[in-house]
Amino acid sequence: MTSLDRARVSLWRAAECDSSMLRANYLYAARDALLAAGHPEWADLAESAAARIGGDGADMERLLFEIDCECSRREHAAG
């Protein structure tokens, strides 16, 4: 599982959480995975959402969109 995959899983788990504190923990996990994947700008967005005690759906949707686009780009580049 790649760092981007781990970030995606953490974001999906965050989106499914009822608890804002648990959602924040998943967002911090996504931040760490995004840093490991070499995307500090996305990690900043995840951290900002977590700092607001869980962020909102728009933050997670944007991050998932960016990650999915990057994964698709890598798959096409690999051939």
Side-chain angles (χ1 to χ4, degrees):
M1 181 178 279
T2 68
S3 295
L4 286 176
D5 292 330
R6 284 194 303 277
R8 182 187 292 141
V9 168
S10 293
L11 289 167
W12 277 110
R13 288 181 178 163
E16 294 174 345
C17 286
D18 292 334
S19 165
S20 60
M21 290 304 291
L22 188 55
R23 180 182 288 181
N25 286 335
Y26 281 124
L27 286 166
Y28 282 123
R31 175 207 56 197
D32 294 343
L34 290 167
L35 283 172
H39 294 284
E41 66 284 359
W42 300 346
D44 289 344
L45 181 59
E47 183 171 9
S48 173
R52 292 190 318 271
I53 310 298
D56 59 19
D59 293 326
M60 288 178 269
E61 287 177 23
R62 177 172 176 224
L63 285 165
L64 286 168
F65 175 77
E66 295 288 355
I67 290 167
D68 288 343
C69 289
E70 179 67 13
C71 288
S72 292
R73 186 189 66 75
R74 289 182 182 190
E75 288 174 11
H76 290 297

